[in-house]
């Protein structure tokens, strides 16, 4: 109970609280550290700093990526788990060992035994339980599991000749390759990656995961496994294994960690062989409220008002991976009521919503967006969602549906909300049809959110302050009055901590701009439907641009100036 006594001595708790904690420890038989943390007397780092001072043992913080598998293997996983100790770094014959309970004599004896057996010297550091648990996960890490599968493959195929296409197909069905692909998929899901890229390079096969919008190389495999890995992915995606000259699309579902996950697959022939891109679609992860998406202030007001109208088109626009579908799903959740018939046509159905009739197009059998849309109109719908308007035929059918009293939701590929009207006209829609059908155009991008645990207040440099104030100044007066800007200006910067993997960011949030139909916009469409005219109309509406929305999120501590400048240019 030495820690509890020390907390009393330092005035952190009183004698009554200390007796309560001691009683809890006796009842639960948990270590005193666990009970103190459960009762929220102190944060973990503060508690272990006190413990470090008492034991005269340095408290160690470690970058997880720098702990090699070779180092971890110096202490067996079972031993590490039992004694709560783990190897951190090996320099020559000297090993740094992190221990949660360095005062545990049995753990010290076990470490001495291992040091004699493996012939190394060691130094003990104190580590927090959180860091220990994160390091323990490394034992079952991606590289280790893939490495084991590679070893098995080497054993099974010790041959000098180049395998034939039939042999690659056989290899793709065998345990090592099956295990390797399974491990890649599982680590993508557990690591919350949005995409997996399998790419042949000159000397090896590169596996990259997209996390928070950026691609990271995760592992490099021998080039010789490339055909078998691609063949395995094609088999589970119902693609033609022997067709390598043209791109193919496929999809499959599998259970990972108890959840059913959907994967959308695309192959693409390159000069070095077939590249595979896999989109990870977790049906439970994408349903968000408007507030969770980052739709606020004027944008939220305009969107809720537009959604209440009985008919019209609501189009979400932006590049691939900007969260367009997620925004449409948030709207669907708002519209999803007992007396409303909602039918969707998607490619693929990304998230499942109870009470909505969701259908997935299958172009390979002739069931594409135009065919599906014609059939949807015979299903007595109130609300229709079409995954994407990508051609003139789909655009005309969507316009027709909106004209006949339906709410139509869809996505469009343009740079921003201002490009929606010119894009529809480019696709062959007559300008006079648009004012009666178009309701809202939502432009959006995704930016990284600051980690709540380590973000730090900062005074911005003068140039940055001027940049922010200049952009805020452009916002219309009624909206500007509702914005509280503290003087001097304060923003937050990314610091980095173990909880966010030292990146300073955790999760993503959207920045939005919403163009709405008005009488003056209708007039502009008929007279001069150019982007320049749209810009002038947007200013008259008081539209907040993505850049302005981003800077408002900077001032509220959600993100950084750097993140906003990456995705939103000055208009």
């Amino acid at each position: 109970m030495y820690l509890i006594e020390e907390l009393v001595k330092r005035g952190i708790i009183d004698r009554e609280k200390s007796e309560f904690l001691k009683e809890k420890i006796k009842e639960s038989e948990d270590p005193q550290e666990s009970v103190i943390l459960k009762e929220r007397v102190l944060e973990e780092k503060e508690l272990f700093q006190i413990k470090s001072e008492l034991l005269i043992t340095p408290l160690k913080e470690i970058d997880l990526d720098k702990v090699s598998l070779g180092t971890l293997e110096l202490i067996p996983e079972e031993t590490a788990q039992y004694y709560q100790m783990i190897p951190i770094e090996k320099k020559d014959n000297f090993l740094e060992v992190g221990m949660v309970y360095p005062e545990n004599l049995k753990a010290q004896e076990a470490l001495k035994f291992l040091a004699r057996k493996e012939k190394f010297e060691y130094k003990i550091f104190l580590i927090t339980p959180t860091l220990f648990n994160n390091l323990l996960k490394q034992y079952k890490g991606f590289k280790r599991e893939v490495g084991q599968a590679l070893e098995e493959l080497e054993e099974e195929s010790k041959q000098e000749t180049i395998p034939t296409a039939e042999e690659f197909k056989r290899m793709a069905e065998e345990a090592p390759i099956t295990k390797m692909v399974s491990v890649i998929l599982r680590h993508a899901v557990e690591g919350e990656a949005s995409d997996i890229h399998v790419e042949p390079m000159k000397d090896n096969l590169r596996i990259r995961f997209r996390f928070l919008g950026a691609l990271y190389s995760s592992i490099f495999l021998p080039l010789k496994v490339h055909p078998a890995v691609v063949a395995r992915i094609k088999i589970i995606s119902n693609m033609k294994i022997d067709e390598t000259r043209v791109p193919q699309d496929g999809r499959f579902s599998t259970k990972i960690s108890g959840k059913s996950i959907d994967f959308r697959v695309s192959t693409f022939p390159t000069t070095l062989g077939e590249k595979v891109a896999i989109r990870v679609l977790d049906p439970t992860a994408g349903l968000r409220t408007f507030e969770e998406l980052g739709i606020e202030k004027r944008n939220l007001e305009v969107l809720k008002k537009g959604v209440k109208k009985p008919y019209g088109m609501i189009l979400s626009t932006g590049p691939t991976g900007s969260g367009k579908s997620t925004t449409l799903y948030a709207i669907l959740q708002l519209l999803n009521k007992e007396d409303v018939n909602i039918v969707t046509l998607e490619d693929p159905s990304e998230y499942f919503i109870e009470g909505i009739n969701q259908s997935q197009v299958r172009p390979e059998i002739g069931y594409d967006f135009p065919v599906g849309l014609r059939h949807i109109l015979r299903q007595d719908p109130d609300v229709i969602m079409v995954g994407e308007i990508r051609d003139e035929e789909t655009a005309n059918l969507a316009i027709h549906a909106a004209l006949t009293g339906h709410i139509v939701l869809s996505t469009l590929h343009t740079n921003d909300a201002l490009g929606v009207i010119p894009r529809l006209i480019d696709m062959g829609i007559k300008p006079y049809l648009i004012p009666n059908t178009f309701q809202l155009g939502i432009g959006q991008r995704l930016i990284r959110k600051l980690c709540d645990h380590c973000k730090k207040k900062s005074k911005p440099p003068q140039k940055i302050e001027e940049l922010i104030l200049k952009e805020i100044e452009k916002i219309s007066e009624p909206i500007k009055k509702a914005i509280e800007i503290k003087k001097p200006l304060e923003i937050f910067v990314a610091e980095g901590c173990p909880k966010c993997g030292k990146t300073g960011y955790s999760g993503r949030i959207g920045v939005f701009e919403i163009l709405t139909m008005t009488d003056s916009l209708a007039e502009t469409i008929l007279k001069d439907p150019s982007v320049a005219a749209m810009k002038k109309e947007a200013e008259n509406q008081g539209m907040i641009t993505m850049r302005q929305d981003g800077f408002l999120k900077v001032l509220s501590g959600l993100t950084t100036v750097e993140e906003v400048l990456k995705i939103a240019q000055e208009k």
Side-chain angles (χ1 to χ4, degrees), residues 284-296 300 303-304 323-335 351 353 444 446 449 508-510 512 553:
T284 63
L287 300 179
R288 301 277 188 272
T289 63
F290 292 143
E291 289 78 7
E292 286 170 336
L293 292 173
I295 301 173
E296 54 190 9
L300 184 60
L303 182 54
K304 283 188 172 177
K324 300 186 296 295
S325 297
T326 308
T327 299
L328 294 186
Y329 277 106
I331 296 170
L332 284 179
Q333 287 179 90
L334 195 70
L335 295 170
Y351 312 114
I353 305 176
Q444 66 182 88
L446 290 176
K449 269 180 73 180
R508 289 193 290 175
I509 197 165
F512 297 86
K553 286 178 168 73

Side-chain angles (χ1 to χ4, degrees), residues 62-175:
I62 308 143
D63 186 342
L64 297 178
D65 292 336
K66 290 182 179 174
V67 181
S68 71
L69 288 169
T71 302
L72 283 175
E73 285 166 356
L74 291 169
I75 295 179
E77 184 182 351
E78 296 76 15
T79 305
Q81 196 156 10
Y82 185 79
Y83 292 111
Q84 305 266 290
M85 64 180 184
I86 205 153
I88 296 166
E89 189 176 3
K90 190 170 187 287
K91 294 174 182 172
D92 299 322
N93 201 39
F94 194 83
L95 185 67
E96 291 183 359
V97 179
M99 299 180 80
V100 180
Y101 305 109
E103 68 274 32
N104 183 335
L105 295 176
K106 287 184 178 177
Q108 297 242 14
E109 285 300 319
L111 183 56
K112 281 178 189 173
F113 171 76
L114 283 167
R116 284 195 301 270
K117 184 183 169 190
E118 301 295 333
K119 297 182 175 60
F120 61 76
E121 293 179 37
Y122 62 86
K123 182 179 179 182
I124 293 171
F125 291 88
L126 180 67
I127 58 172
T128 63
T130 298
L131 179 56
F132 171 77
N133 288 327
N134 286 336
L135 284 166
L136 199 63
K137 289 175 189 172
Q138 304 281 83
Y139 276 102
K140 294 186 177 74
F142 183 33
K143 293 175 186 175
R144 181 186 176 90
E145 291 184 74
V146 171
Q148 287 174 346
L150 277 172
E151 284 173 23
E152 289 175 34
L153 190 65
E154 289 288 346
E155 285 299 312
E156 288 187 17
S157 58
K158 285 183 176 173
Q159 54 182 4
E160 296 298 320
T161 57
I162 297 169
T164 63
E166 276 303 309
E167 284 169 332
F168 274 129
K169 185 178 176 181
R170 177 187 56 77
M171 284 167 67
E173 295 281 27
E174 287 178 351

